[in-house]
Each structure stands twice: as structure tokens, then as C-alpha cells.
């Protein structure tokens, strides 16, 4: 067994609580969202906190709960200590428990994302082997799912593809498995560059994918540019992304909420003919062809 102490505090106080837990012998501290404040796309190396942050300290099972409670209460003013809860946590195989949440998932007709140990029975399946990691992109998020479904439904044979904001590399690797000739994958987060390289090697497509940090990206023109980033970033990047499209090239973008799709389309409007968008939950996929 383990003992967990939870406190919900304003983000300015979170470092103090972390320090307190450390002084009391915590084995690990976890910071989480105590409200409903999604943190979308913090920049590389940034670790912003939520306005209401839940600080959890993990203590060994031999820790006496009453002693811990009074030590925490003594160190904190009543208003901060009021949110304290203690919880017993049963030991388990954590890696396995985490992986158990991931199962093979199909996108479109034949494209599958398959985590370690997963099995796909479909005979003509096209399988991308991928485990969740630190970089974004497993297929569980609707925006990635929309992009994967689009890739499965379009002819990619022999095409050159730019995977802009590659995260785990899931889109570029899927494009290669679906027949694309060459992919250039780029991201401004070094962790994503590393993850994409590793996942490409695992999927035996490393020879056909060039993975670069955005700072080292030499603009080229591609048949398809696919970018699953947030709407405001896609608007800012519009001049750069437009230049990456060959005449007649296809542009696929997601990470866009329904209410934002018009603004994004307008940023690309006079050079790309957009078709009706596709939707999944609150998110849309915009796709079109360059003139
Ligand atoms: C939502 S994730 C998408 C990952 C993956 N392509 C997918 O579809 O699941 C967006 C990725 O874009 C990257 N990104 C955000 N802004 C960027 C920028 N200005 N230039 C390059 N990459 C960027 C992030 O680091 C992140 O890996």
C-alpha cells in the first residue's frame, strides 16, 4: 500500500506545498488540474500550472496517516490546509496498468495504431506500432483520429508529405505505411523529434523519413502538408505553410475547434480551396487543395 496526500492550492502556492511534502519524506509529487482548465500546447520546456493546482504527495505505506496529517496542518494556515485529503493506494504493476488503457484502434478502413502486445485480426490491416510516450499523438485524441482517418481515405502512393508538428510522428509514419514515398517531419519540441525518430525506426520506415527540429527545417514543397496544431498557431504559420505546398498540393489541418475553423480557413483562403470540414466531438479537420 501507499499513502497519498492531496492539497488543492492557488498555483502561486504549489512550490511551497511541494517543498513541504519533500521535507516530510514524499517519494513523488504530482501536480494536476483541480478545476477544468485544459493546458493546450505549452511551448517546449514550459511547465505552466493551473490556477487551481492539485498537489499530490506519494508516501510509503508505512507512513502513519495521523502523524502526516498533523505535520501538514501544523505547517499550513487553516485556509490552505482545509483541502487536505489522505488516501490509501493499493500497489499494482503500474506500467501494465497504464498500458492497459491502450488497445489497437482502427482509423478509416484499414489503418490501425497498435500498442505493444496488441493484436489486429484484419487481414489487409496497415499497422503503425506505437506506444504512448512523452510526445503527443497516439490516436486517442479526436484531432489525431481525424487526421489518421483522412490519410486512410486518400491516395498517398508516391507522394511527398510534410508532417508539421509531428509529435510522436504518428501521422508521418502512417502516411509512409499507406504508400507515401517520403516524409519530412518537423517539430519545435526536441522531445517530439526524438520520439518521431524512435517510432520511425520501430516501424521500419526510418529510411524514408527525415525528422528535423523546426530551427533546422529547410523549406521544400510537398504534395501534402498535414498539421495538427492549435488554431492560433495555424493562423500564425499560414504564410510559411502555404509556401510548402506544391501547386495542386493538399493541405490537411486539425487542432481546430468548430468556432475557429472559419478564421483558420481565411488565413489560407486565397491560396487554398477548402472542402467541407470533417468533425469529431468539438474538433474539426480542414482540408483543401492549393491553386
Ligand atoms: C497536437 S500535437 C500533434 C502531434 C501529432 N502530429 C498528432 O497529430 O497527434 C502538435 C505538435 O505540434 C508541435 N508544435 C506546436 N507549435 C509548433 C510550431 N510553431 N512549429 C513546429 N511544431 C510545433 C508541438 O510541439 C506538438 O508536438
Amino acid at each position: 500500500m501507499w499513502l497519498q496526500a492531496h492539497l488543492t492550492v492557488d498555483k502561486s502556492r504549489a512550490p511551497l506545498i511541494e517543498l513541504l511534502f519533500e521535507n516530510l519524506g514524499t517519494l513523488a509529487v504530482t501536480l494536476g488540474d483541480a478545476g477544468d482548465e485544459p493546458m493546450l500546447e505549452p511551448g517546449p520546456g514550459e511547465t505552466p500550472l493551473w490556477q487551481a493546482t492539485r498537489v499530490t504527495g506519494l508516501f510509503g505505506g508505512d507512513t502513519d496517516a495521523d502523524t502526516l496529517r498533523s505535520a501538514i496542518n501544523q505547517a499550513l494556515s487553516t485556509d490552505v490546509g482545509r483541502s487536505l485529503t489522505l488516501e490509501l493506494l493499493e500497489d499494482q504493476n503500474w506500467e501494465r496498468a497504464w498500458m492497459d488503457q491502450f488497445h489497437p484502434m482502427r482509423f478509416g478502413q484499414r489503418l490501425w495504431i497498435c500498442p505493444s502486445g496488441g493484436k489486429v485480426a484484419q487481414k489487409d490491416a496497415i499497422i503503425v506500432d506505437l506506444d504512448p510516450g512523452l510526445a503527443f499523438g497516439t490516436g486517442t485524441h479526436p484531432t489525431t483520429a481525424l487526421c489518421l482517418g483522412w490519410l486512410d481515405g486518400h491516395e498517398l502512393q508516391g507522394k511527398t508529405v510534410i508532417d508539421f508538428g509531428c509529435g510522436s510522428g504518428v501521422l508521418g509514419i502512417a502516411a509512409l505505411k499507406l504508400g507515401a514515398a517520403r516524409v519530412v517531419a518537423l517539430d519545435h519540441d526536441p522531445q517530439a523529434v526524438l520520439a518521431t525518430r524512435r517510432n520511425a525506426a520501430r516501424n521500419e520506415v526510418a529510411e524514408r523519413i527525415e525528422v528535423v527540429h523546426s530551427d533546422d527545417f529547410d523549406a521544400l514543397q510537398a504534395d501534402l502538408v498535414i498539421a495538427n496544431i492549435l488554431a492560433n498557431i495555424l493562423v500564425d504559420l499560414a504564410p510559411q505553410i502555404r509556401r510548402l505546398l506544391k501547386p495542386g498540393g493538399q493541405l490537411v489541418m486539425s487542432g481546430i475547434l468548430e468556432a475557429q475553423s472559419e478564421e483558420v480557413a481565411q488565413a489560407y483562403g486565397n491560396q487554398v480551396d477548402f472542402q467541407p470540414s470533417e468533425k469529431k466531438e468539438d474538433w474539426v479537420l480542414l482540408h483543401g487543395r492549393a491553386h
Side-chain angles (χ1 to χ4, degrees):
M1 291 296 254
W2 306 86
L3 181 65
Q4 287 199 120
H6 307 285
L7 274 164
T8 295
V9 292
D10 182 85
K11 66 177 175 186
S12 59
R13 284 181 158 149
L16 189 77
I17 306 296
E18 274 187 79
L19 200 62
L20 171 64
F21 284 168
E22 277 168 25
N23 285 339
L24 294 172
T26 190
L27 303 168
V29 177
T30 308
L31 303 174
D33 184 7
D36 184 13
E37 194 190 343
M39 282 293 169
L40 303 172
E41 295 275 357
E46 290 173 12
T47 50
L49 289 182
W50 302 266
Q51 198 57 51
T53 296
R54 188 180 203 231
V55 188
T56 298
L58 179 76
F59 295 86
D62 54 353
T63 309
D64 180 69
D66 290 336
T67 312
L68 182 64
R69 184 189 300 279
S70 62
I72 293 172
N73 281 330
Q74 261 177 28
L76 299 174
S77 58
T78 323
D79 63 319
V80 181
R82 197 174 294 130
S83 70
L84 175 66
T85 54
L86 296 180
E87 179 196 15
L88 278 173
L89 188 67
E90 214 168 304
D91 200 18
Q92 45 183 307
N93 180 346
W94 297 106
E95 204 170 328
R96 195 59 261 164
W98 182 60
M99 284 301 298
D100 280 350
Q101 295 173 32
F102 295 94
H103 303 283
M105 284 175 293
R106 190 176 77 170
F107 302 90
Q109 298 303 311
R110 61 205 163 127
L111 179 62
W112 288 79
I113 304 295
C114 188
S116 301
K119 288 206 169 30
V120 175
Q122 187 179 342
K123 287 223 164 50
D124 63 345
I126 292 177
I127 298 173
V128 175
D129 289 316
L130 197 86
D131 281 329
L134 290 180
F136 188 104
T138 56
T140 50
H141 196 270
T143 58
T144 311
L146 281 164
C147 293
L148 291 169
W150 190 95
L151 288 170
D152 181 74
H154 288 80
E155 181 55 62
L156 298 179
Q157 210 60 40
K159 296 207 164 146
T160 52
V161 177
I162 296 176
D163 179 359
F164 205 117
C166 54
S168 65
V170 60
L171 303 181
I173 295 167
L176 287 169
K177 292 222 163 176
L178 287 161
R182 178 178 172 229
V183 167
V184 178
L186 70 139
D187 204 291
H188 67 178
D189 185 345
Q191 182 64 47
V193 172
L194 190 69
T196 298
R197 287 198 181 128
R198 284 193 180 148
N199 286 327
R202 173 174 171 177
N203 281 276
E204 298 177 351
V205 294
E207 275 146 39
R208 290 187 289 137
I209 187 167
E210 190 187 332
V211 189
V212 290
H213 189 276
S214 341
D215 292 347
D216 306 321
F217 175 60
D218 283 329
L220 74 154
Q221 288 205 312
D223 300 304
L224 168 65
V225 177
I226 189 157
N228 175 18
I229 316 184
L230 291 178
N232 59 329
I233 303 175
L234 290 168
V235 169
D236 290 347
L237 287 172
Q240 185 186 351
I241 289 184
R242 278 191 320 231
R243 283 197 295 274
L244 302 176
L245 289 164
K246 283 184 183 170
Q250 285 173 294
L251 175 62
V252 175
M253 296 183 288
S254 193
I256 305 163
L257 292 167
E258 208 171 343
Q260 302 166 325
S261 65
E262 199 157 315
E263 188 197 346
V264 177
Q266 266 172 15
Y268 292 78
N270 52 4
Q271 271 153 16
V272 180
D273 283 330
F274 285 103
Q275 286 155 35
S277 56
E278 292 168 25
K279 292 185 197 126
K280 192 169 170 68
E281 297 171 29
D282 296 334
W283 300 92
V284 298
L285 174 138
L286 280 181
H287 60 116
R289 215 172 257 285
H291 296 159

